[in-house]
Amino acid sequence: MSWNSYIDSLTKSEWVDDAVILGCTQGQESVWAAAPGGWLSQVTPAEVKAIVASDRSGLFANGVTLAGRKCTVLRDTLNVEGQNTMDIKMKTSEKEPDPFSFTIGRSMQALIIAKGVKDAHGGKVNPLVFDMTAYLRKLNM
């Protein structure tokens, strides 16, 4: 199965400029497909493990990282059946002054992560990832 068509589907939206699909089952935390030239392809296995960890208690206080960039968790329903998404926002810094929005979706086997364009809020990014996640979950993927 080629995951590239799923990346193409996400990045053809005017609201998304980077996307990645990663394995999320234990031992398969690696990039399966990524948008060409995007930095989300650098998400590490350790970051995937932290995102899918069963202990969710520190997520709102500590946030998560994506490819080494710190993010604040805005909404976590990644493990809530029928929702299966997490909305996060990148923390700003001198090097990264724009607080990009991200949505992470969890299918049965993969994480789908989409990065919004500058000034795109999570409400524009989330539906794309939510729909794809729901579709993949129906296929038991």
Side-chain angles (χ1 to χ4, degrees), residues 13-74:
S13 164
E14 67 182 298
W15 303 110
V16 173
D17 68 358
D18 194 5
V20 67
I21 298 176
L22 308 109
C24 68
T25 55
Q26 189 172 8
Q28 295 184 10
E29 300 92 349
S30 61
V31 174
W32 291 359
W39 57 262
L40 282 176
S41 64
Q42 299 169 27
V43 172
T44 67
E47 292 169 333
V48 172
K49 289 175 187 176
I51 290 167
V52 300
S54 57
D55 179 7
R56 318 295 288 162
S57 61
L59 286 178
F60 287 102
N62 303 321
V64 297
T65 59
L66 292 178
R69 291 159 173 92
K70 293 184 180 198
C71 300
T72 300
V73 175
L74 303 175

